Amino acid sequence: MSNQDPRLTATEKARIAVLVGRMCKRELAGPGRVHQADLQRRVDRILDDARERETKTAK
């Protein structure tokens, strides 16, 4: 994680872990020809929501 990544709750960590697992499963099913942008967007959305939560709680 870089310095700009927010602290994640246990739920957020679990959700990201599930999505990463699905990404790995897709990659194993068809190496190189797999579209994973939908799962990456979901991970990005979780991280964005966590950043927003941190800024709201910091105020």
Side-chain angles (χ1 to χ4, degrees):
M1 290 181 124
S2 66
N3 290 338
Q4 65 184 359
D5 288 339
R7 289 184 178 237
L8 300 173
T9 64
T11 302
E12 291 165 340
K13 288 179 187 178
R15 290 174 62 199
I16 289 173
V18 168
L19 292 171
V20 169
R22 289 180 64 191
M23 287 179 183
C24 292
K25 187 176 177 182
R26 283 187 185 182
E27 184 65 30
L28 289 173
R33 302 172 303 196
V34 181
H35 182 70
Q36 296 187 3
D38 60 327
L39 297 177
Q40 184 60 49
R41 277 193 307 269
R42 290 175 68 181
V43 170
D44 292 340
R45 192 175 322 132
I46 293 169
L47 291 173
D48 290 341
D49 291 344
R51 281 187 198 98
E52 286 182 31
R53 178 182 38 78
E54 272 197 345
T55 57
K56 286 180 183 180
T57 58
K59 291 181 181 180

